[in-house]
Amino acid sequence: MCVDSAGCELEACSSSDEVHTLSGSMSAALKPSARELRACSPRQRCCAALERLRSPTAAAGILSFGNVLNYLDRYTVAGVMLDIKQHYKVSDSGVGLLQTVFICSFMVAAPIFGYLGDRFNRKVILSCGIFFWSAVTLLSSFITKEYYWLFVLSRGLVGIGESSYSSISPTIIGDLFSSNSRTIMLSVFYLAIPLGSGLGYILGSSAKDAAGDWHWALRVSPLLGMIAGMLILLFVPEPKRGSSDQPSSRMKSRTSWVCDMKALGKNRSYVFSSLASAAVSFATGAFGIWIPQYLFRAQVVQKTAVSCTVQPCSSRDSLIFGAMTCVTGLLGVVIGAATTRFCRQKTERADPLVCAVSMLGSAIFICLIFVVAKKSIVGAYICIFIGETLLFLNWAITADILMYVVIPTRRATAVAFQGFTSHLLGDAGSPYLIGLISDALQKSYATSVLWQFLSLGYALMLCPFVIVLGGMFFLATALFYLDDRDKGRVTDEPALSIAIHSKGHQVVAGLEWVD
């Protein structure tokens, strides 16, 4: 018969000399007596079934699904931005403020959740975060037009909830997998960023068109979020921190938060890759909010569309941009993972070098968007497709770099602080900054449709210059990557080692402590 660790019978077994358990098998000498065996209760059977479903692959799939919802909720608002602007009667900078407030709260909360994620049960924190932002998103759909400030505040609260997920979930995957398996699973996880972003545009536009009211765009993702939270509680394990790393490496004891931050500040690969990540966030944050509107204004200039003065506004550009983001995200992550695996056979610095080349190539095609958009929308979409693919190529690779150069017991803090810096220097300000520049340029010719289009284009031209700067930071990362990777494989614990000193023809062996 088969028994669990508590000695209760699970199912009939053969009369062999071994008794099979959930944790392995035991010999006949250890077989429990008939009096010790008892029938399992339905609750125990359910728990045993759940344990069998808690595989690392299933956990990675659930966490990736949650990440899709994380970004879907974030960009659902962007999918109905024209309607929000018309409904609340706000300017370009007022619309950009929505994303800025969201990101500011997100980045402020990230270090807090990073600290908690290195010390407490991670999946409980993830579930609570998902339930929180889902409830706030649902409630925000009922805010009336007189309370735009309250709608802005709600996006800030959503940012706090989503911060818990983005800061902690990659570290669970990092502890469930190792080597190339970890690269693949992190690639799947970060594929959720463009996939969720694109689906956010699609869901927001489709829900608005189906219901005839943009508020319904904010009432679908909360239900899915509640489901994801329950799946995480039931099926995602809480792996031991560093359990997937090399067995030969010595695990470091947990240190204070101040000590962790000092160590991360001295990690040059981590610092430069975080700055490069900020450049990516700056561009993606600005593009996510403004590119659909920029293309819509281009069509107004070409007289293939008319300005939106009455709701509901056209969702065509949001739908196309959302679908394109999904496809380019898939291609970017897949190409990035495959390219990195191939280049690792040529050079050990493949990870940061692939990121640098992709960033510099992306800047070229993003510049071309603003050259061709006035004459050809199709040409602009082609440039967006190639530019986004190259930009999305480095997301999973950047996460993999962090896993290699940071020791396991401070990875949640590292992910959180990287998120903080990338948002602080990136998409926390870029949507509002682009809107502010656009508003300032429009003052001279406020009623000119052509100038509204050109002013937004001139403001967005800031993005490719920031992307080039990000490419430079990735090149700097490549200079220090090997040294920092080797340090990330060992700990800060002192260890006894053999020191061999050669003095002429005489070899003297001695013992020394190394840190």
PDB file of all heavy atoms in Angstrom, residues 71 75 186-187 190-195 197 277 280-281 284-285 325 328-329 332-333 336 355 358 388-401 418 474:
ATOM      1  N   TYR A  71       1.248  43.426 -16.731  1.00  0.00           N
ATOM      2  CA  TYR A  71       1.449  44.423 -17.784  1.00  0.00           C
ATOM      3  C   TYR A  71       0.166  44.662 -18.582  1.00  0.00           C
ATOM      4  O   TYR A  71      -0.018  45.761 -19.123  1.00  0.00           O
ATOM      5  CB  TYR A  71       2.596  43.992 -18.694  1.00  0.00           C
ATOM      6  CG  TYR A  71       3.935  44.270 -18.064  1.00  0.00           C
ATOM      7  CD1 TYR A  71       4.507  43.365 -17.170  1.00  0.00           C
ATOM      8  CD2 TYR A  71       4.604  45.459 -18.307  1.00  0.00           C
ATOM      9  CE1 TYR A  71       5.720  43.639 -16.555  1.00  0.00           C
ATOM     10  CE2 TYR A  71       5.816  45.736 -17.700  1.00  0.00           C
ATOM     11  CZ  TYR A  71       6.369  44.822 -16.825  1.00  0.00           C
ATOM     12  OH  TYR A  71       7.561  45.100 -16.208  1.00  0.00           O
ATOM     13  N   TYR A  75      -1.255  48.560 -19.217  1.00  0.00           N
ATOM     14  CA  TYR A  75      -1.430  49.193 -20.521  1.00  0.00           C
ATOM     15  C   TYR A  75      -2.866  49.155 -21.038  1.00  0.00           C
ATOM     16  O   TYR A  75      -3.124  49.598 -22.143  1.00  0.00           O
ATOM     17  CB  TYR A  75      -0.471  48.565 -21.538  1.00  0.00           C
ATOM     18  CG  TYR A  75       0.940  49.037 -21.332  1.00  0.00           C
ATOM     19  CD1 TYR A  75       1.848  48.283 -20.591  1.00  0.00           C
ATOM     20  CD2 TYR A  75       1.370  50.264 -21.833  1.00  0.00           C
ATOM     21  CE1 TYR A  75       3.141  48.732 -20.372  1.00  0.00           C
ATOM     22  CE2 TYR A  75       2.655  50.716 -21.608  1.00  0.00           C
ATOM     23  CZ  TYR A  75       3.534  49.950 -20.885  1.00  0.00           C
ATOM     24  OH  TYR A  75       4.805  50.404 -20.665  1.00  0.00           O
ATOM     25  N   LEU A 186      13.360  32.336 -17.720  1.00  0.00           N
ATOM     26  CA  LEU A 186      13.307  33.791 -17.564  1.00  0.00           C
ATOM     27  C   LEU A 186      12.904  34.469 -18.873  1.00  0.00           C
ATOM     28  O   LEU A 186      12.237  35.509 -18.863  1.00  0.00           O
ATOM     29  CB  LEU A 186      14.657  34.325 -17.090  1.00  0.00           C
ATOM     30  CG  LEU A 186      14.992  34.110 -15.614  1.00  0.00           C
ATOM     31  CD1 LEU A 186      16.413  34.545 -15.315  1.00  0.00           C
ATOM     32  CD2 LEU A 186      14.010  34.874 -14.719  1.00  0.00           C
ATOM     33  N   SER A 187      13.300  33.871 -19.997  1.00  0.00           N
ATOM     34  CA  SER A 187      12.880  34.409 -21.294  1.00  0.00           C
ATOM     35  C   SER A 187      11.365  34.317 -21.442  1.00  0.00           C
ATOM     36  O   SER A 187      10.712  35.250 -21.916  1.00  0.00           O
ATOM     37  CB  SER A 187      13.565  33.638 -22.433  1.00  0.00           C
ATOM     38  OG  SER A 187      14.960  33.819 -22.398  1.00  0.00           O
ATOM     39  N   TYR A 190       9.819  36.958 -19.079  1.00  0.00           N
ATOM     40  CA  TYR A 190       9.916  38.334 -19.572  1.00  0.00           C
ATOM     41  C   TYR A 190       9.254  38.519 -20.931  1.00  0.00           C
ATOM     42  O   TYR A 190       9.032  39.655 -21.354  1.00  0.00           O
ATOM     43  CB  TYR A 190      11.366  38.793 -19.595  1.00  0.00           C
ATOM     44  CG  TYR A 190      11.838  39.165 -18.212  1.00  0.00           C
ATOM     45  CD1 TYR A 190      12.584  38.275 -17.451  1.00  0.00           C
ATOM     46  CD2 TYR A 190      11.490  40.387 -17.647  1.00  0.00           C
ATOM     47  CE1 TYR A 190      12.992  38.604 -16.164  1.00  0.00           C
ATOM     48  CE2 TYR A 190      11.888  40.720 -16.370  1.00  0.00           C
ATOM     49  CZ  TYR A 190      12.638  39.835 -15.636  1.00  0.00           C
ATOM     50  OH  TYR A 190      13.017  40.158 -14.354  1.00  0.00           O
ATOM     51  N   LEU A 191       8.925  37.424 -21.586  1.00  0.00           N
ATOM     52  CA  LEU A 191       8.087  37.525 -22.777  1.00  0.00           C
ATOM     53  C   LEU A 191       6.731  38.106 -22.401  1.00  0.00           C
ATOM     54  O   LEU A 191       6.064  38.750 -23.218  1.00  0.00           O
ATOM     55  CB  LEU A 191       7.917  36.144 -23.405  1.00  0.00           C
ATOM     56  CG  LEU A 191       6.896  36.001 -24.538  1.00  0.00           C
ATOM     57  CD1 LEU A 191       7.308  36.863 -25.722  1.00  0.00           C
ATOM     58  CD2 LEU A 191       6.772  34.543 -24.958  1.00  0.00           C
ATOM     59  N   ALA A 192       6.344  37.903 -21.141  1.00  0.00           N
ATOM     60  CA  ALA A 192       5.059  38.424 -20.674  1.00  0.00           C
ATOM     61  C   ALA A 192       4.999  39.943 -20.704  1.00  0.00           C
ATOM     62  O   ALA A 192       3.902  40.513 -20.739  1.00  0.00           O
ATOM     63  CB  ALA A 192       4.794  37.928 -19.253  1.00  0.00           C
ATOM     64  N   ILE A 193       6.140  40.633 -20.692  1.00  0.00           N
ATOM     65  CA  ILE A 193       6.112  42.096 -20.682  1.00  0.00           C
ATOM     66  C   ILE A 193       5.535  42.643 -21.993  1.00  0.00           C
ATOM     67  O   ILE A 193       4.523  43.352 -21.975  1.00  0.00           O
ATOM     68  CB  ILE A 193       7.509  42.673 -20.401  1.00  0.00           C
ATOM     69  CG1 ILE A 193       7.979  42.244 -19.011  1.00  0.00           C
ATOM     70  CG2 ILE A 193       7.504  44.187 -20.522  1.00  0.00           C
ATOM     71  CD1 ILE A 193       9.355  42.733 -18.649  1.00  0.00           C
ATOM     72  N   PRO A 194       6.135  42.318 -23.145  1.00  0.00           N
ATOM     73  CA  PRO A 194       5.524  42.814 -24.381  1.00  0.00           C
ATOM     74  C   PRO A 194       4.189  42.152 -24.680  1.00  0.00           C
ATOM     75  O   PRO A 194       3.283  42.801 -25.221  1.00  0.00           O
ATOM     76  CB  PRO A 194       6.565  42.474 -25.454  1.00  0.00           C
ATOM     77  CG  PRO A 194       7.355  41.349 -24.886  1.00  0.00           C
ATOM     78  CD  PRO A 194       7.404  41.603 -23.409  1.00  0.00           C
ATOM     79  N   LEU A 195       4.050  40.854 -24.330  1.00  0.00           N
ATOM     80  CA  LEU A 195       2.783  40.172 -24.588  1.00  0.00           C
ATOM     81  C   LEU A 195       1.660  40.802 -23.773  1.00  0.00           C
ATOM     82  O   LEU A 195       0.585  41.112 -24.292  1.00  0.00           O
ATOM     83  CB  LEU A 195       2.920  38.689 -24.242  1.00  0.00           C
ATOM     84  CG  LEU A 195       1.674  37.825 -24.475  1.00  0.00           C
ATOM     85  CD1 LEU A 195       1.286  37.830 -25.946  1.00  0.00           C
ATOM     86  CD2 LEU A 195       1.918  36.401 -23.984  1.00  0.00           C
ATOM     87  N   SER A 197       1.681  43.806 -22.412  1.00  0.00           N
ATOM     88  CA  SER A 197       1.497  45.196 -22.845  1.00  0.00           C
ATOM     89  C   SER A 197       0.622  45.259 -24.094  1.00  0.00           C
ATOM     90  O   SER A 197      -0.314  46.067 -24.175  1.00  0.00           O
ATOM     91  CB  SER A 197       2.854  45.840 -23.124  1.00  0.00           C
ATOM     92  OG  SER A 197       3.683  45.795 -21.991  1.00  0.00           O
ATOM     93  N   SER A 277      19.103  49.322 -18.284  1.00  0.00           N
ATOM     94  CA  SER A 277      17.688  48.971 -18.138  1.00  0.00           C
ATOM     95  C   SER A 277      16.821  50.215 -18.008  1.00  0.00           C
ATOM     96  O   SER A 277      15.684  50.257 -18.492  1.00  0.00           O
ATOM     97  CB  SER A 277      17.508  48.068 -16.922  1.00  0.00           C
ATOM     98  OG  SER A 277      16.167  47.707 -16.730  1.00  0.00           O
ATOM     99  N   VAL A 280      16.086  51.526 -21.451  1.00  0.00           N
ATOM    100  CA  VAL A 280      15.025  50.742 -22.092  1.00  0.00           C
ATOM    101  C   VAL A 280      13.663  51.168 -21.548  1.00  0.00           C
ATOM    102  O   VAL A 280      12.700  51.349 -22.299  1.00  0.00           O
ATOM    103  CB  VAL A 280      15.252  49.235 -21.865  1.00  0.00           C
ATOM    104  CG1 VAL A 280      14.100  48.428 -22.454  1.00  0.00           C
ATOM    105  CG2 VAL A 280      16.570  48.790 -22.491  1.00  0.00           C
ATOM    106  N   SER A 281      13.575  51.329 -20.230  1.00  0.00           N
ATOM    107  CA  SER A 281      12.306  51.736 -19.608  1.00  0.00           C
ATOM    108  C   SER A 281      11.867  53.118 -20.072  1.00  0.00           C
ATOM    109  O   SER A 281      10.676  53.370 -20.263  1.00  0.00           O
ATOM    110  CB  SER A 281      12.450  51.723 -18.077  1.00  0.00           C
ATOM    111  OG  SER A 281      12.669  50.424 -17.604  1.00  0.00           O
ATOM    112  N   THR A 284      10.440  52.545 -23.701  1.00  0.00           N
ATOM    113  CA  THR A 284       9.200  51.763 -23.744  1.00  0.00           C
ATOM    114  C   THR A 284       8.058  52.482 -23.040  1.00  0.00           C
ATOM    115  O   THR A 284       6.904  52.406 -23.468  1.00  0.00           O
ATOM    116  CB  THR A 284       9.414  50.383 -23.107  1.00  0.00           C
ATOM    117  OG1 THR A 284       9.939  50.537 -21.777  1.00  0.00           O
ATOM    118  CG2 THR A 284      10.377  49.550 -23.931  1.00  0.00           C
ATOM    119  N   GLY A 285       8.374  53.194 -21.941  1.00  0.00           N
ATOM    120  CA  GLY A 285       7.335  53.944 -21.240  1.00  0.00           C
ATOM    121  C   GLY A 285       6.762  55.059 -22.096  1.00  0.00           C
ATOM    122  O   GLY A 285       5.544  55.262 -22.141  1.00  0.00           O
ATOM    123  N   THR A 325       3.072  44.843 -30.676  1.00  0.00           N
ATOM    124  CA  THR A 325       3.884  44.692 -29.473  1.00  0.00           C
ATOM    125  C   THR A 325       3.949  43.239 -29.036  1.00  0.00           C
ATOM    126  O   THR A 325       5.003  42.748 -28.604  1.00  0.00           O
ATOM    127  CB  THR A 325       3.323  45.566 -28.336  1.00  0.00           C
ATOM    128  OG1 THR A 325       3.326  46.941 -28.743  1.00  0.00           O
ATOM    129  CG2 THR A 325       4.153  45.425 -27.078  1.00  0.00           C
ATOM    130  N   THR A 328       6.308  41.488 -31.701  1.00  0.00           N
ATOM    131  CA  THR A 328       7.711  41.901 -31.562  1.00  0.00           C
ATOM    132  C   THR A 328       8.298  41.436 -30.233  1.00  0.00           C
ATOM    133  O   THR A 328       9.484  41.106 -30.156  1.00  0.00           O
ATOM    134  CB  THR A 328       7.846  43.430 -31.684  1.00  0.00           C
ATOM    135  OG1 THR A 328       6.983  44.065 -30.712  1.00  0.00           O
ATOM    136  CG2 THR A 328       7.471  43.909 -33.060  1.00  0.00           C
ATOM    137  N   GLY A 329       7.466  41.401 -29.192  1.00  0.00           N
ATOM    138  CA  GLY A 329       7.933  40.887 -27.917  1.00  0.00           C
ATOM    139  C   GLY A 329       8.308  39.424 -28.001  1.00  0.00           C
ATOM    140  O   GLY A 329       9.357  39.002 -27.492  1.00  0.00           O
ATOM    141  N   GLY A 332      11.460  39.201 -30.143  1.00  0.00           N
ATOM    142  CA  GLY A 332      12.611  39.747 -29.443  1.00  0.00           C
ATOM    143  C   GLY A 332      13.155  38.815 -28.378  1.00  0.00           C
ATOM    144  O   GLY A 332      14.363  38.574 -28.306  1.00  0.00           O
ATOM    145  N   VAL A 333      12.267  38.272 -27.551  1.00  0.00           N
ATOM    146  CA  VAL A 333      12.710  37.383 -26.478  1.00  0.00           C
ATOM    147  C   VAL A 333      13.294  36.092 -27.040  1.00  0.00           C
ATOM    148  O   VAL A 333      14.342  35.611 -26.585  1.00  0.00           O
ATOM    149  CB  VAL A 333      11.553  37.095 -25.515  1.00  0.00           C
ATOM    150  CG1 VAL A 333      11.945  36.015 -24.510  1.00  0.00           C
ATOM    151  CG2 VAL A 333      11.157  38.366 -24.770  1.00  0.00           C
ATOM    152  N   GLY A 336      16.568  36.884 -28.759  1.00  0.00           N
ATOM    153  CA  GLY A 336      17.557  37.219 -27.748  1.00  0.00           C
ATOM    154  C   GLY A 336      18.111  35.978 -27.059  1.00  0.00           C
ATOM    155  O   GLY A 336      19.330  35.844 -26.871  1.00  0.00           O
ATOM    156  N   CYS A 355      23.087  42.579 -25.839  1.00  0.00           N
ATOM    157  CA  CYS A 355      22.202  43.680 -25.436  1.00  0.00           C
ATOM    158  C   CYS A 355      22.664  45.009 -26.039  1.00  0.00           C
ATOM    159  O   CYS A 355      21.841  45.811 -26.511  1.00  0.00           O
ATOM    160  CB  CYS A 355      22.162  43.789 -23.912  1.00  0.00           C
ATOM    161  SG  CYS A 355      21.323  42.431 -23.078  1.00  0.00           S
ATOM    162  N   SER A 358      21.903  45.164 -29.838  1.00  0.00           N
ATOM    163  CA  SER A 358      20.461  45.299 -30.097  1.00  0.00           C
ATOM    164  C   SER A 358      19.972  46.711 -29.792  1.00  0.00           C
ATOM    165  O   SER A 358      19.130  47.258 -30.507  1.00  0.00           O
ATOM    166  CB  SER A 358      19.680  44.275 -29.280  1.00  0.00           C
ATOM    167  OG  SER A 358      19.723  44.580 -27.894  1.00  0.00           O
ATOM    168  N   GLU A 388      11.193  47.845 -32.182  1.00  0.00           N
ATOM    169  CA  GLU A 388      10.694  47.205 -30.958  1.00  0.00           C
ATOM    170  C   GLU A 388      11.295  45.820 -30.776  1.00  0.00           C
ATOM    171  O   GLU A 388      11.643  45.427 -29.659  1.00  0.00           O
ATOM    172  CB  GLU A 388       9.167  47.107 -30.989  1.00  0.00           C
ATOM    173  CG  GLU A 388       8.455  48.352 -30.536  1.00  0.00           C
ATOM    174  CD  GLU A 388       7.008  48.074 -30.188  1.00  0.00           C
ATOM    175  OE1 GLU A 388       6.432  47.103 -30.729  1.00  0.00           O
ATOM    176  OE2 GLU A 388       6.439  48.815 -29.366  1.00  0.00           O
ATOM    177  N   THR A 389      11.414  45.054 -31.858  1.00  0.00           N
ATOM    178  CA  THR A 389      12.000  43.714 -31.766  1.00  0.00           C
ATOM    179  C   THR A 389      13.409  43.775 -31.196  1.00  0.00           C
ATOM    180  O   THR A 389      13.766  43.003 -30.296  1.00  0.00           O
ATOM    181  CB  THR A 389      12.022  43.032 -33.147  1.00  0.00           C
ATOM    182  OG1 THR A 389      10.686  42.925 -33.659  1.00  0.00           O
ATOM    183  CG2 THR A 389      12.624  41.637 -33.049  1.00  0.00           C
ATOM    184  N   LEU A 390      14.210  44.699 -31.693  1.00  0.00           N
ATOM    185  CA  LEU A 390      15.576  44.842 -31.194  1.00  0.00           C
ATOM    186  C   LEU A 390      15.604  45.357 -29.756  1.00  0.00           C
ATOM    187  O   LEU A 390      16.460  44.966 -28.959  1.00  0.00           O
ATOM    188  CB  LEU A 390      16.367  45.791 -32.102  1.00  0.00           C
ATOM    189  CG  LEU A 390      16.636  45.284 -33.521  1.00  0.00           C
ATOM    190  CD1 LEU A 390      17.241  46.390 -34.379  1.00  0.00           C
ATOM    191  CD2 LEU A 390      17.557  44.074 -33.490  1.00  0.00           C
ATOM    192  N   LEU A 391      14.663  46.208 -29.418  1.00  0.00           N
ATOM    193  CA  LEU A 391      14.608  46.755 -28.064  1.00  0.00           C
ATOM    194  C   LEU A 391      14.184  45.692 -27.054  1.00  0.00           C
ATOM    195  O   LEU A 391      14.720  45.612 -25.942  1.00  0.00           O
ATOM    196  CB  LEU A 391      13.644  47.935 -28.028  1.00  0.00           C
ATOM    197  CG  LEU A 391      13.689  48.858 -26.802  1.00  0.00           C
ATOM    198  CD1 LEU A 391      15.049  49.516 -26.673  1.00  0.00           C
ATOM    199  CD2 LEU A 391      12.593  49.911 -26.888  1.00  0.00           C
ATOM    200  N   PHE A 392      13.207  44.854 -27.429  1.00  0.00           N
ATOM    201  CA  PHE A 392      12.711  43.816 -26.528  1.00  0.00           C
ATOM    202  C   PHE A 392      13.685  42.647 -26.393  1.00  0.00           C
ATOM    203  O   PHE A 392      13.525  41.811 -25.510  1.00  0.00           O
ATOM    204  CB  PHE A 392      11.366  43.286 -27.017  1.00  0.00           C
ATOM    205  CG  PHE A 392      10.262  44.299 -26.974  1.00  0.00           C
ATOM    206  CD1 PHE A 392       9.153  44.183 -27.800  1.00  0.00           C
ATOM    207  CD2 PHE A 392      10.324  45.384 -26.118  1.00  0.00           C
ATOM    208  CE1 PHE A 392       8.132  45.115 -27.764  1.00  0.00           C
ATOM    209  CE2 PHE A 392       9.313  46.325 -26.071  1.00  0.00           C
ATOM    210  CZ  PHE A 392       8.212  46.186 -26.896  1.00  0.00           C
ATOM    211  N   LEU A 393      14.664  42.586 -27.255  1.00  0.00           N
ATOM    212  CA  LEU A 393      15.593  41.467 -27.289  1.00  0.00           C
ATOM    213  C   LEU A 393      16.376  41.325 -25.983  1.00  0.00           C
ATOM    214  O   LEU A 393      16.776  40.224 -25.608  1.00  0.00           O
ATOM    215  CB  LEU A 393      16.549  41.664 -28.466  1.00  0.00           C
ATOM    216  CG  LEU A 393      17.506  40.548 -28.870  1.00  0.00           C
ATOM    217  CD1 LEU A 393      17.656  40.522 -30.390  1.00  0.00           C
ATOM    218  CD2 LEU A 393      18.876  40.779 -28.228  1.00  0.00           C
ATOM    219  N   ASN A 394      16.581  42.426 -25.268  1.00  0.00           N
ATOM    220  CA  ASN A 394      17.496  42.381 -24.123  1.00  0.00           C
ATOM    221  C   ASN A 394      16.822  42.216 -22.770  1.00  0.00           C
ATOM    222  O   ASN A 394      17.505  42.135 -21.751  1.00  0.00           O
ATOM    223  CB  ASN A 394      18.372  43.643 -24.100  1.00  0.00           C
ATOM    224  CG  ASN A 394      17.553  44.900 -23.902  1.00  0.00           C
ATOM    225  OD1 ASN A 394      17.016  45.136 -22.841  1.00  0.00           O
ATOM    226  ND2 ASN A 394      17.469  45.719 -24.939  1.00  0.00           N
ATOM    227  N   TRP A 395      15.497  42.156 -22.703  1.00  0.00           N
ATOM    228  CA  TRP A 395      14.812  42.106 -21.410  1.00  0.00           C
ATOM    229  C   TRP A 395      15.225  40.884 -20.580  1.00  0.00           C
ATOM    230  O   TRP A 395      15.676  40.996 -19.447  1.00  0.00           O
ATOM    231  CB  TRP A 395      13.304  42.099 -21.611  1.00  0.00           C
ATOM    232  CG  TRP A 395      12.692  43.445 -21.397  1.00  0.00           C
ATOM    233  CD1 TRP A 395      13.149  44.429 -20.570  1.00  0.00           C
ATOM    234  CD2 TRP A 395      11.519  43.962 -22.027  1.00  0.00           C
ATOM    235  NE1 TRP A 395      12.322  45.538 -20.647  1.00  0.00           N
ATOM    236  CE2 TRP A 395      11.320  45.270 -21.523  1.00  0.00           C
ATOM    237  CE3 TRP A 395      10.610  43.466 -22.944  1.00  0.00           C
ATOM    238  CZ2 TRP A 395      10.254  46.061 -21.911  1.00  0.00           C
ATOM    239  CZ3 TRP A 395       9.550  44.252 -23.340  1.00  0.00           C
ATOM    240  CH2 TRP A 395       9.376  45.541 -22.822  1.00  0.00           C
ATOM    241  N   ALA A 396      15.032  39.688 -21.148  1.00  0.00           N
ATOM    242  CA  ALA A 396      15.358  38.470 -20.405  1.00  0.00           C
ATOM    243  C   ALA A 396      16.854  38.357 -20.155  1.00  0.00           C
ATOM    244  O   ALA A 396      17.283  37.849 -19.112  1.00  0.00           O
ATOM    245  CB  ALA A 396      14.852  37.248 -21.167  1.00  0.00           C
ATOM    246  N   ILE A 397      17.661  38.830 -21.099  1.00  0.00           N
ATOM    247  CA  ILE A 397      19.117  38.739 -20.943  1.00  0.00           C
ATOM    248  C   ILE A 397      19.573  39.599 -19.762  1.00  0.00           C
ATOM    249  O   ILE A 397      20.454  39.208 -18.986  1.00  0.00           O
ATOM    250  CB  ILE A 397      19.834  39.177 -22.227  1.00  0.00           C
ATOM    251  CG1 ILE A 397      19.316  38.385 -23.436  1.00  0.00           C
ATOM    252  CG2 ILE A 397      21.336  38.994 -22.097  1.00  0.00           C
ATOM    253  CD1 ILE A 397      19.859  38.854 -24.762  1.00  0.00           C
ATOM    254  N   THR A 398      18.983  40.774 -19.608  1.00  0.00           N
ATOM    255  CA  THR A 398      19.331  41.645 -18.481  1.00  0.00           C
ATOM    256  C   THR A 398      19.033  40.960 -17.151  1.00  0.00           C
ATOM    257  O   THR A 398      19.830  41.038 -16.207  1.00  0.00           O
ATOM    258  CB  THR A 398      18.560  42.976 -18.575  1.00  0.00           C
ATOM    259  OG1 THR A 398      18.814  43.591 -19.839  1.00  0.00           O
ATOM    260  CG2 THR A 398      18.975  43.920 -17.463  1.00  0.00           C
ATOM    261  N   ALA A 399      17.892  40.279 -17.080  1.00  0.00           N
ATOM    262  CA  ALA A 399      17.550  39.539 -15.856  1.00  0.00           C
ATOM    263  C   ALA A 399      18.540  38.417 -15.607  1.00  0.00           C
ATOM    264  O   ALA A 399      18.921  38.149 -14.457  1.00  0.00           O
ATOM    265  CB  ALA A 399      16.133  38.983 -15.967  1.00  0.00           C
ATOM    266  N   ASP A 400      18.967  37.747 -16.668  1.00  0.00           N
ATOM    267  CA  ASP A 400      19.934  36.664 -16.531  1.00  0.00           C
ATOM    268  C   ASP A 400      21.287  37.188 -16.058  1.00  0.00           C
ATOM    269  O   ASP A 400      21.976  36.543 -15.265  1.00  0.00           O
ATOM    270  CB  ASP A 400      20.084  35.935 -17.866  1.00  0.00           C
ATOM    271  CG  ASP A 400      20.322  34.442 -17.682  1.00  0.00           C
ATOM    272  OD1 ASP A 400      19.994  33.926 -16.593  1.00  0.00           O
ATOM    273  OD2 ASP A 400      20.821  33.801 -18.613  1.00  0.00           O
ATOM    274  N   ILE A 401      21.681  38.363 -16.540  1.00  0.00           N
ATOM    275  CA  ILE A 401      22.929  38.979 -16.076  1.00  0.00           C
ATOM    276  C   ILE A 401      22.876  39.199 -14.563  1.00  0.00           C
ATOM    277  O   ILE A 401      23.834  38.899 -13.840  1.00  0.00           O
ATOM    278  CB  ILE A 401      23.171  40.325 -16.800  1.00  0.00           C
ATOM    279  CG1 ILE A 401      23.504  40.082 -18.282  1.00  0.00           C
ATOM    280  CG2 ILE A 401      24.292  41.111 -16.137  1.00  0.00           C
ATOM    281  CD1 ILE A 401      23.594  41.349 -19.109  1.00  0.00           C
ATOM    282  N   GLN A 418      16.991  47.441  -8.893  1.00  0.00           N
ATOM    283  CA  GLN A 418      17.134  47.668 -10.326  1.00  0.00           C
ATOM    284  C   GLN A 418      15.840  48.220 -10.909  1.00  0.00           C
ATOM    285  O   GLN A 418      15.856  49.121 -11.746  1.00  0.00           O
ATOM    286  CB  GLN A 418      17.518  46.382 -11.045  1.00  0.00           C
ATOM    287  CG  GLN A 418      17.837  46.591 -12.524  1.00  0.00           C
ATOM    288  CD  GLN A 418      18.319  45.322 -13.188  1.00  0.00           C
ATOM    289  OE1 GLN A 418      17.519  44.465 -13.576  1.00  0.00           O
ATOM    290  NE2 GLN A 418      19.630  45.184 -13.341  1.00  0.00           N
ATOM    291  N   PHE A 474      25.568  49.069 -21.643  1.00  0.00           N
ATOM    292  CA  PHE A 474      25.745  47.626 -21.809  1.00  0.00           C
ATOM    293  C   PHE A 474      27.184  47.288 -22.215  1.00  0.00           C
ATOM    294  O   PHE A 474      27.735  46.265 -21.794  1.00  0.00           O
ATOM    295  CB  PHE A 474      24.764  47.072 -22.835  1.00  0.00           C
ATOM    296  CG  PHE A 474      23.430  46.694 -22.267  1.00  0.00           C
ATOM    297  CD1 PHE A 474      22.253  47.216 -22.801  1.00  0.00           C
ATOM    298  CD2 PHE A 474      23.343  45.800 -21.214  1.00  0.00           C
ATOM    299  CE1 PHE A 474      21.009  46.853 -22.279  1.00  0.00           C
ATOM    300  CE2 PHE A 474      22.107  45.445 -20.681  1.00  0.00           C
ATOM    301  CZ  PHE A 474      20.947  45.975 -21.211  1.00  0.00           C
TER     302      PHE A 474
END
